[in-house]
């Protein structure tokens, strides 16, 4: 008499092996695709902000998660300064940003862009536009800035919407005499971009950058080297 | 004149659908003389006459990416999800999604050019992509599908004048014509997969009206973008199309010459299936 169970087992075994093989193959494919996808997403530009966000934007990683790329802020801006990033822009696709040199934020007192945001990616808690933190102005062109050459251009100081607080002229003495240096108070500057917009040089000597890029971040590297 | 009327009648659902789709695109794209638009934003989140609507799938990605809940978006999600939950999720596909215009055109051309080649893809692929997109959102802290989603890309890029969107649209168009029949919408798009799951129990359904009326010609199945959903009805095993994949496009209704099918909205508790009702004509 033939043992039925053993025959059944013999037939079943390769079947089961096939199923397992298929399962492993699918698992393998899923792992590879996940790793690949994550690499692609992580390599997308601006994991740390390299563009200026509208006022009230959460810190970049949270902003990236919270913003649903709807463009309501873009449409709410009466000066039409905001854009949603396309693939080639240095920000994750679909997120809003502006370029100070082309079109700075006019610091509307009622902050319509943040009011329009449905997700809180632009924080509803921001009620005073002077407390906005879109970035910070940094005078980078110490050799090109006209005030450093002894002239009194001072355009960047005169156009600042919070003149005298965010940016002011500080005298320094050198061999050419007394120079009036545009000096930014990083705790008051909102990063609106107006100063950069109006710098008379063909490439601005004062740049408005996201805070981490403009000021650096403390404590990221150990002090000294081994 | 007669024939014109007949043509219109035979395409009544198609025409209605196209009108709705185009109106939605226009509401976002055409500036009103008084300034502003009927609808602000895009299909991720929009404001219609002061009412905010938010796409639940995009919101879900955001949630997985670790975002805090915004109140306005939450209300918008509840409205939209409620609508599709109640009526049927993939109504979005046939009546709202702009990509449907492209993929339907692809399919039409495919028929006209009589292209038979078909690279078979599993219907589960889109569900896998759906799960993957949520997993990747969780891992990377960004909205994974939104980096490539052609639906919102279409609105952002094409409407606001760029070619990146056009490239993506063209690839979908060509993929659907030459590679896989109904490739994008029925096999790949996780948005469709999401709405299919969301609207599983939706109560706006295709209904078989009278047992005798259907000759079993299966013409409806030939035009249906998701043919498997109609099979139980045509083989008289069910009185309703209950599968979540049905897009409520009405192509089957346009096609059926006997009136054996109807679109029906019923919130009654589904009774056990007792065969298709026979209506006697005395
Ligand atoms: S504060 Fe005003 S100008 Fe600046 S981004 Fe918002 S709406 Fe535009
Ligand atoms: S309104 Fe808010 S969610 Fe929408 S694009 Fe702007 S920041 Fe993002
Ligand atoms: S970015 Fe320039 S103009 Fe704007 S607040 Fe800062 S210093 Fe003033
Ligand atoms: S399956 Fe995706 S692309 Fe196709 S109509 Fe539905 S949502 Fe749009
Ligand atoms: S069953 Fe009818 S309404 Fe549903 S997808 Fe198929 S053709 Fe469209």
């Amino acid at each position: 008499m033939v043992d039925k169970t053993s025959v059944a087992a013999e037939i079943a075994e390769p079947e089961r092996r096939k199923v397992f093989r298929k399962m492993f193959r699918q698992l393998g494919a899923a792992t590879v695709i996940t790793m690949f996808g994550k690499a692609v997403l992580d390599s997308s530009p601006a994991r740390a902000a390299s563009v200026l966000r509208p006022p009230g934007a959460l810190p970049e990683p949270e902003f990236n998660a919270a913003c649903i790329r709807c463009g309501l802020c873009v449409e709410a801006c009466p000066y039409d300064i905001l854009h949603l990033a396309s693939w080639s822009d240095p920000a994750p696709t679909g997120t809003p940003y502006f370029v100070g040199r082309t079109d700075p934020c006019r610091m509307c007192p009622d902050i319509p862009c943040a009011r329009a945001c449905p997700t809180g990616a632009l924080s509803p808690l921001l009620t005073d536009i002077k407390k906005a933190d879109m970035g910070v102005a940094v005078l980078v062109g110490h050799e090109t800035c006209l005030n450093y050459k002894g002239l009194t251009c001072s355009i960047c100081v005169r156009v600042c919407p919070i003149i005298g607080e965010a940016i002011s002229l500080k005298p320094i003495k050198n061999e050419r005499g007394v120079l009036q240096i545009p000096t930014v108070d990083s705790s008051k500057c909102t990063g609106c971009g107006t100063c950069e917009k109006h710098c008379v040089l063909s490439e601005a000597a004062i740049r408005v950058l996201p805070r981490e890029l403009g000021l650096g971040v403390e404590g990221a590297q150990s002090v000294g080297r081994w | 004149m007669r024939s014109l009327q007949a043509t219109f009648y035979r395409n009544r659902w198609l025409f209605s659908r196209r009108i709705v789709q185009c109106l939605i695109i226009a509401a976002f794209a055409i500036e009103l003389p008084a300034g502003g638009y009927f609808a602000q934003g895009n299909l991720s989140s929009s404001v219609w006459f002061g009412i905010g609507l938010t796409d639940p799938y995009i919101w879900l990605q955001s949630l997985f990416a670790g975002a805090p809940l915004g109140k306005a978006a939450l209300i918008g999600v509840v409205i939209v999800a409620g609508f599709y939950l109640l009526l049927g999720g993939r109504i979005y596909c046939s009546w709202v999604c702009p990509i449907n215009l492209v993929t339907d055109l692809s399919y039409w051309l495919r028929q006209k050019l009589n292209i038979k080649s078909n690279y078979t893809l599993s219907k589960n692929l889109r569900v896998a992509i759906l799960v993957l997109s949520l997993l990747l959102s969780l891992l990377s802290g960004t909205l994974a599908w939104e980096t490539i989603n052609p639906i919102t890309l279409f609105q952002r890029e094409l409407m606001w004048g760029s070619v990146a969107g056009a490239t993506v649209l063209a690839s979908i168009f060509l993929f659907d014509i030459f590679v896989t029949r109904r490739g994008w919408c029925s096999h790949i798009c996780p948005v469709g997969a999401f709405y299919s799951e969301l609207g599983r129990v939706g109560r706006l359904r295709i209904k078989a009206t009278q047992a005798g009326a259907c000759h079993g010609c299966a013409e409806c199945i030939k035009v249906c973008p998701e043919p498997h959903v109609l099979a139980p009805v045509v083989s008289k095993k069910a009185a309703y199309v209950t599968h979540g994949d049905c897009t409520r496009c009405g192509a089957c209704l346009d096609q059926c010459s006997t009136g054996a099918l109807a679109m029906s909205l019923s919130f009654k508790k589904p009774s056990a299936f007792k065969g298709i009702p026979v209506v006697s004509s005395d």
Side-chain angles (χ1 to χ4, degrees):
Chain A
M1 204 179 98
V2 188
D3 186 348
K4 272 191 188 158
T5 49
S6 80
V7 172
E10 243 167 64
I11 297 169
E13 198 48 37
E15 249 329 292
R16 197 185 305 164
R17 208 175 287 172
K18 227 185 265 170
V19 170
F20 271 119
R21 196 176 302 155
K22 195 174 157 202
M23 238 163 69
F24 278 124
R25 208 174 319 148
Q26 283 177 348
L27 260 177
T31 315
V32 171
I33 293 170
T34 308
M35 280 162 57
F36 178 74
K38 181 150 174 3
V40 169
L41 286 173
D42 285 349
S43 70
S44 75
R47 297 302 294 171
S50 58
V51 292
L52 300 176
R53 298 298 191 189
L58 300 176
E60 188 63 15
E62 283 100 81
F63 181 78
N64 217 336
C67 170
I68 55 171
R69 289 83 163 134
C70 66
L72 282 169
C73 52
V74 174
E75 285 182 44
C77 176
Y79 300 99
D80 218 3
I81 68 154
L82 300 173
H83 313 276
L84 293 186
S86 71
W87 279 353
S88 49
D89 289 327
T93 317
T95 55
Y97 73 102
F98 71 97
V99 180
R101 183 69 168 168
T102 345
D103 225 346
C105 170
R106 313 301 205 282
M107 291 181 54
C108 317
D110 51 343
I111 331 180
C113 47
R115 295 294 89 86
C117 178
T119 59
L122 305 180
S123 172
L125 302 177
L126 179 73
T127 46
D128 178 4
I129 187 68
K130 287 193 183 170
K131 298 239 163 65
D133 180 14
M134 296 171 267
V136 65
V138 185
L139 187 69
V140 291
H142 289 200
E143 292 166 14
T144 45
C145 170
L146 296 178
N147 277 28
Y148 263 100
K149 292 185 174 172
L151 303 169
T152 42
C153 159
S154 311
I155 283 281
C156 51
V157 177
R158 283 181 278 146
V159 295
C160 178
I162 20 186
I163 180 170
E165 291 186 48
I167 189 167
S168 49
L169 293 174
K170 294 269 154 69
I172 60 164
K173 241 192 175 127
N174 79 349
E175 64 276 14
R176 270 183 266 173
V178 179
L179 304 178
Q180 297 292 341
I181 301 302
T183 310
V184 176
D185 179 346
S186 64
S187 65
K188 297 277 169 55
C189 170
T190 62
C192 69
T194 310
C195 49
E196 180 178 338
K197 161 82 179 172
H198 291 281
C199 178
V200 297
L201 302 185
S202 59
E203 289 289 346
I206 190 163
R207 301 284 170 108
V208 179
L209 302 166
R211 209 153 267 263
E212 316 83 80
L213 293 185
L215 300 178
V217 181
E218 279 172 9
Q221 293 274 28
S222 54
V223 181
R225 286 166 203 276
W226 289 300
Chain B
M1 197 60 215
R2 269 305 258 274
S3 76
L4 199 70
Q5 259 175 3
T7 314
F8 180 77
Y9 184 74
R10 263 186 282 108
N11 292 292
R12 60 199 185 281
W13 285 95
L14 182 67
F15 287 148
S16 325
R17 229 150 58 68
R18 291 292 177 255
I19 290 169
V20 172
Q21 283 171 320
C22 293
L23 282 178
I24 290 175
I25 294 179
F28 283 109
I30 296 173
E31 199 165 352
L32 299 173
Y37 302 85
F38 264 116
Q40 276 113 39
N42 57 33
L43 285 171
S44 307
S45 192
S46 50
V47 176
W48 296 76
F49 311 107
I51 298 171
L53 302 176
T54 302
D55 184 290
Y57 171 52
I58 297 176
W59 177 81
L60 203 61
Q61 289 175 65
S62 172
L63 208 61
F64 271 75
L69 297 173
K71 202 174 96 212
L74 194 61
I75 297 171
V77 164
V78 170
I79 298 175
V80 175
F83 175 82
Y84 291 118
L85 201 70
L86 226 56
L87 296 185
R90 292 199 72 203
I91 291 172
Y92 178 85
C93 292
S94 273
W95 297 80
V96 179
C97 180
I99 301 301
N100 175 271
L101 291 166
V102 178
T103 56
D104 271 359
L105 180 65
S106 280
Y107 186 63
W108 181 80
L109 261 178
R110 200 183 156 88
Q111 304 289 85
K112 279 273 169 270
L113 301 175
N114 203 14
I115 296 169
K116 286 276 162 14
S117 69
N118 184 23
Y119 178 74
T120 318
L121 287 169
S122 161
K123 290 242 183 236
N124 291 331
L125 182 60
R126 58 182 170 188
V127 183
I129 295 177
L130 172 62
V131 173
L132 192 70
S133 71
L134 295 178
L135 184 68
L136 280 175
S137 298
L138 184 73
L139 289 176
S140 64
T142 184
L143 280 58
W145 186 250
E146 286 319 289
T147 51
I148 45 174
N149 189 354
I151 302 167
T152 39
L153 194 80
F154 169 87
Q155 291 201 303
R156 283 197 304 267
E157 308 272 315
L158 283 193
M159 284 186 185
W160 303 359
S162 120
V163 285
T167 320
V168 175
L169 280 192
S171 352
I172 293 177
F173 182 67
L174 295 175
F175 177 73
D176 265 24
I177 293 186
F178 295 111
V179 184
T180 300
R181 176 188 181 274
R182 298 257 183 215
W184 182 265
C185 289
S186 294
H187 300 91
I188 293 178
C189 177
V191 183
F194 173 83
Y195 278 112
S196 171
E197 296 302 323
L198 180 71
R200 268 177 176 283
V201 291
R203 302 320 293 266
L204 182 70
R205 287 168 172 170
I206 299 297
K207 176 187 176 193
T209 50
Q210 310 166 13
C214 173
H215 321 141
C217 64
E219 286 297 319
C220 52
I221 292 189
K222 278 185 210 147
V223 294
C224 178
E226 302 278 0
H228 59 282
V229 307
L230 270 171
V233 170
V234 171
S235 61
K236 306 207 165 43
K237 290 202 182 69
Y240 290 93
V241 171
T242 50
H243 202 292
D245 282 351
C246 170
T247 69
R248 277 74 168 177
C249 65
C252 48
L253 303 179
D254 279 344
Q255 192 67 21
C256 184
S257 50
T258 63
L261 298 173
M263 189 83 81
S264 96
L265 180 65
S266 142
F267 290 101
K268 270 185 275 168
K269 209 166 156 268
S271 52
F273 178 64
K274 297 192 205 77
I276 291 169
V278 181
V279 178
S280 58
S281 48
D282 298 310

